[in-house]
Amino acid sequence: MLQLNVKNETSRLRAVVLGSAVHNGPTPTIDEAYDPKSLEHIKAGTYPIEKDMVAEMDAFNAVFQKYNVTVYRPELIENYNQIFARDIGFVIDDVFVKSNILPDRERELDAIQYVIDQINPVKVVRPPEEVHIEGGDVMLWNDHIFIGTYKGSDYKDYITARTNMHGVNYIKELFPNKIVKEFDLVKSKLEARDNALHLDCCFQPVGKDKGIIYKRGFREEADYLYLVKLFGKENLFHIEREEMYNMFSNVFSIDTNVVVSEKNFTRLNNWLRAKGFTVEEIPYAEIAKQEGLLRCSTLPLIRD
C-alpha cells in the first residue's frame, strides 16, 4: 500500500505522478481550447508538437531519477492530452482527493487508477457533483490550505474558473483542523496575460519561508496582503505580467532547497540561487504554451 503524506509544497519528495505527452493527439481546434494561452498558440500556428513535449517531460523525469524519486506515469490513452496530472487529483495529508474535472477529462483519472488501487480505499474521496476543484488551485502550507477560486456571479461562464466556493467549503469540512484560506483569482477567457487559471499561476511557496507571487493575479488586494503578511515581503519574489504569462510561479520543489525551474527563467533562477537554492533548470517552454508548467505536470503522493 502507498502511505500517502503531503503536508506542504517543498518537503523532500519521495513519490509522484508525472503526466505524459506520448500519443498527445493532434493540435486542438479553436473550439476545443480550454484556456486563452492554448487558444493563442492554436491561432498562431505555434501550438507545441508531441516530440518536443515528450523531450521536455523526459528532462523533468531525469531530474526525479537523479533525486531517487519514485515516479508513476499514467497509462497511455491514444490521441489524448495527459500532461497535466495536477488537475485530476491531489493529496492532502494522507487523503487522495479525486477532482471533479471538466467532463471530457474523466479518462485521465482512469489512467492512474492503478496508482489509486495502491491506496487505502478509505483514504480516497470524491467530492459531490456541485463541488468543482482542481489540484492547481490547492496549495498546502503545513497548517494552512490555500485554495484559488473565482467568486464572480458569472462563474459558470468561465471555462477558466476551475474551483468554486463549494470546493472551498468541501475542503474546510474535510480538514476542520486546517486553516483553509481561499483566494479570489483574476480570470480571462481571451487574454492569457490576465488569466490566473489556477492559484499556482500567481503564487507558490518555495523553501521553508519564501514564495513567488504575482500581485495582479488576485481580484482582492486583501488576499495578496494576507500572503505578504504570512511570508514577509522580503521573502517574496514578485513577478511581472509577462513573467506570470510565462508561468514563473509554476516551478516545482523536490526539497526545501531544490527547485526545478524552466531554463529561461533567468531573473527567478538567479534569485533562487542567491537565496541558497539548488536550481535544476530544464526546457519546458513548449508545454508552457498550454498554460501549464512544472507544478501542473505533477501529482505528489509522498513527501517527508
Side-chain angles (χ1 to χ4, degrees):
M1 296 293 278
L2 279 170
Q3 299 298 322
L4 302 180
N5 185 57
V6 182
K7 291 183 169 19
N8 57 50
E9 299 295 319
T10 66
S11 290
R12 178 65 162 95
L13 183 71
R14 301 297 176 185
V16 67
V17 177
L18 175 65
S20 172
V22 177
H23 297 309
N24 197 57
T27 297
T29 64
I30 285 171
D31 293 340
E32 291 170 334
Y34 286 133
D35 64 85
K37 196 168 181 185
S38 294
L39 180 63
E40 185 181 312
H41 286 287
I42 292 166
K43 287 179 173 177
T46 51
Y47 194 82
I49 59 172
E50 182 178 311
K51 77 175 175 57
D52 292 340
M53 294 190 290
V54 168
E56 289 182 344
M57 298 204 83
D58 285 349
F60 200 0
N61 194 26
V63 177
F64 287 134
Q65 304 309 320
K66 176 180 173 180
Y67 287 91
N68 298 314
V69 176
T70 300
V71 179
Y72 299 92
R73 307 300 293 269
E75 293 172 342
L76 291 180
I77 305 169
E78 291 281 338
N79 295 321
Y80 200 76
N81 187 331
Q82 294 177 269
I83 293 169
F84 298 124
R86 181 73 62 160
D87 293 347
I88 60 177
F90 51 92
V91 175
I92 300 176
D93 291 350
D94 61 351
V95 177
F96 187 98
V97 182
K98 292 181 173 182
S99 298
N100 280 342
I101 39 182
L102 299 166
D104 302 354
R105 300 185 60 186
E106 193 67 32
R107 286 190 292 169
E108 288 177 71
L109 258 174
D110 298 339
I112 61 163
Q113 187 59 45
Y114 81 96
V115 178
I116 297 169
D117 288 341
Q118 298 174 55
I119 301 166
N120 181 344
V122 303
K123 295 293 186 180
V124 179
V125 299
R126 185 77 187 252
E129 201 174 325
E130 71 274 8
V131 168
H132 298 175
I133 192 158
E134 290 187 354
D137 277 322
V138 180
M139 202 162 281
L140 311 184
W141 197 243
N142 305 316
D143 56 346
H144 281 80
I145 303 175
F146 305 134
I147 304 181
T149 186
Y150 178 67
K151 295 181 180 179
S153 58
D154 54 352
Y155 174 93
K156 68 181 188 312
D157 299 331
Y158 278 85
I159 198 168
T160 54
R162 302 295 175 80
T163 298
N164 60 11
M165 282 304 295
H166 290 299
V168 174
N169 292 328
Y170 176 78
I171 296 298
K172 283 181 177 176
E173 288 173 18
L174 206 57
F175 297 95
N177 298 323
K178 298 272 191 180
I179 302 163
V180 178
K181 165 65 179 158
E182 79 273 11
F183 298 88
D184 197 9
L185 303 181
V186 171
K187 302 288 180 180
S188 172
K189 290 180 277 192
L190 299 174
E191 175 50 81
R193 288 163 183 80
D194 299 318
N195 180 48
L197 188 65
H198 292 119
L199 180 58
D200 59 18
C201 297
C202 58
F203 172 71
Q204 188 178 178
V206 287
K208 293 182 175 176
D209 61 356
K210 293 176 177 56
I212 305 162
I213 196 164
Y214 177 60
K215 182 179 180 180
R216 287 170 58 191
F218 301 91
R219 290 178 79 206
E220 300 290 336
E221 189 174 23
D223 284 350
Y224 160 76
L225 292 174
Y226 181 94
L227 292 168
V228 170
K229 185 178 179 188
L230 189 64
F231 283 80
K233 193 157 190 177
E234 69 284 358
N235 289 321
L236 291 171
F237 181 86
H238 282 74
I239 59 178
E240 306 298 331
R241 184 170 181 254
E242 200 66 21
E243 292 173 333
M244 191 282 289
Y245 170 74
N246 288 319
M247 314 287 300
F248 268 48
S249 61
N250 207 275
V251 296
F252 184 76
S253 294
I254 290 182
D255 207 337
T256 51
N257 62 341
V258 180
V259 177
V260 189
S261 182
E262 216 288 327
K263 65 184 178 66
N264 294 305
F265 293 176
T266 308
R267 194 172 80 88
L268 171 65
N269 296 345
N270 288 344
W271 179 83
L272 288 167
R273 290 192 187 95
K275 298 294 182 187
F277 290 92
T278 296
V279 182
E280 295 286 351
E281 294 189 355
I282 62 170
Y284 229 67
E286 291 302 305
I287 285 171
K289 292 176 178 178
Q290 300 176 84
E291 206 156 344
L293 205 78
L294 297 155
R295 187 179 188 270
C296 298
S297 310
T298 61
L299 198 174
L301 301 170
I302 302 169
R303 291 187 183 270
D304 285 354

